Amino acid sequence: MHHDAYSTLRVSHEAGIARVTLDNPPVNVLDVALMADLRRLLTGLRDDDSVRVIVFDSADPDFFIAHVDMALVDAPDAFDELAADTPDGVNVFQALGELLRHQPQVTIVKLAGLARGGGAEFVTAADMAFAAIGRAGIGQVEALMGIVPGGGGTQYLADRIGRNRALEVVLGADLLDARTAERYGWINRAIAADELDDFVDRLARDIAALPEGVVAAAKRAIVPADLAEGLLREHDAWAGQFVRPAAEQLIRGGLAHGAQTRDGERDLESLLRRLAG
């Protein structure tokens, strides 16, 4: 791995663990640069037998991944280059989630800040996620923008927490705290904030130190659900809403009123509800 090849990631590698820190100020939006770096990283690691575990965290204590870059509304062709290299049957956002879901290494998210929209989808696509009590939050905020999740979120949620709770998360559009996300099964565990680093580090080291072949065998036996048909349905639902005037108005309004700024992102749900009301 060429660790200096990423503009939005800091990557280190030791004892079978790749540690990936997301660093895309001001709030770690999932824009073209971050998505391209994540795709290049995951693809490059696929055949790296020296790495057994990939741990993701954020350089920003308040934000893991805010959400997909809302400025996409003014640059609809921004992701065209990435989309040209996307497998059939998924859109460019779903492709990132599917790449992560099918990664041969064990993938772990250390969630100490907020993850909404595409950020929440990334967390859900990882093998495991652990969240800091009192600091972490996770939510699918898309409905407040007049759309639905379009990067795998609807399918990942229904598979993980059940249809009824998936509908609550998608249509309620609330930010769930770590304890609630744990109770719903969205994350593995809610952990005291001052214990999160040590817990994830110990788990990653223990997994990386397992005898040869154990990680690969477990991942062959415990496979991700086949969501191909559902991802097509999700894309159609998302794309159908994205072209409606209400979605464009809400997204532009959100940007004009502080979305993707640190202050605006702290209570994004309230900001968007005021616009929608």
Side-chain angles (χ1 to χ4, degrees):
M1 289 184 295
H2 300 289
H3 297 168
D4 59 351
Y6 306 105
S7 64
T8 64
L9 305 176
R10 305 179 197 166
V11 185
S12 63
H13 179 191
E14 54 91 18
I17 304 169
R19 302 181 189 276
V20 182
T21 298
L22 282 59
D23 189 8
N24 191 29
V27 292
N28 278 355
V29 293
L30 188 60
D31 57 11
V32 173
L34 180 54
M35 185 176 291
D37 278 352
L38 286 168
R39 279 177 54 164
R40 189 160 65 251
L41 173 90
L42 292 169
T43 302
L45 286 173
R46 289 192 70 82
D47 298 321
D48 189 340
D49 294 335
S50 71
V51 176
R52 294 182 177 182
V53 182
I54 309 172
V55 177
F56 295 94
D57 66 8
S58 174
D60 189 322
D62 296 324
F63 299 98
F64 179 71
I65 299 175
H67 43 69
V68 170
D69 187 2
M70 292 167 64
L72 172 64
V73 71
D74 288 319
D77 57 348
F79 289 95
D80 283 0
E81 186 174 343
L82 286 176
D85 194 30
T86 293
D88 292 340
V90 292
N91 65 39
V92 67
F93 306 110
Q94 293 169 337
L96 177 61
E98 289 300 277
L99 187 62
L100 182 59
R101 270 207 324 142
H102 292 89
Q103 193 71 14
Q105 291 88 3
V106 174
T107 55
I108 302 174
V109 166
K110 184 166 58 175
L111 185 63
L114 305 182
R116 295 182 173 103
E121 289 170 324
F122 187 90
V123 173
T124 317
D127 290 326
M128 308 177 199
F130 301 91
I133 295 169
R135 293 187 55 91
I138 187 168
Q140 299 292 165
V141 72
E142 291 90 343
L144 299 177
M145 302 178 193
I147 56 177
V148 295
T154 63
Q155 304 308 299
Y156 302 160
L157 280 169
D159 180 61
R160 181 168 293 193
I161 68 176
R163 180 178 181 271
N164 58 333
R165 282 178 165 163
L167 284 167
E168 177 195 346
V169 166
V170 170
L171 297 178
D174 287 329
L175 189 69
L176 272 61
D177 61 38
R179 292 187 190 278
T180 304
E182 177 195 57
R183 189 165 65 250
Y184 276 28
W186 196 344
I187 62 167
N188 289 65
R189 298 195 205 184
I191 297 174
D194 61 354
E195 298 174 7
L196 181 63
D197 287 344
D198 288 345
F199 178 89
V200 173
D201 187 63
R202 179 192 60 77
L203 178 63
R205 289 179 183 278
D206 286 351
I207 293 172
L210 289 169
E212 185 70 28
V214 172
V215 169
K219 295 211 72 172
R220 282 198 307 270
I222 308 171
V223 297
D226 183 352
L227 302 175
E229 291 185 7
L231 290 171
L232 288 171
R233 292 194 304 270
E234 177 189 78
H235 173 74
D236 289 344
W238 168 80
Q241 288 299 119
F242 194 79
V243 297
R244 289 174 177 260
E248 180 179 350
Q249 180 179 349
L250 287 166
I251 293 169
R252 290 187 191 279
L255 287 168
H257 286 81
Q260 302 193 175
T261 67
R262 297 190 69 82
D263 288 342
E265 288 291 332
R266 293 185 199 284
D267 196 6
L268 182 64
E269 291 80 8
S270 293
L271 186 159
L272 293 172
R273 288 186 199 282
R274 290 196 303 272
L275 293 172

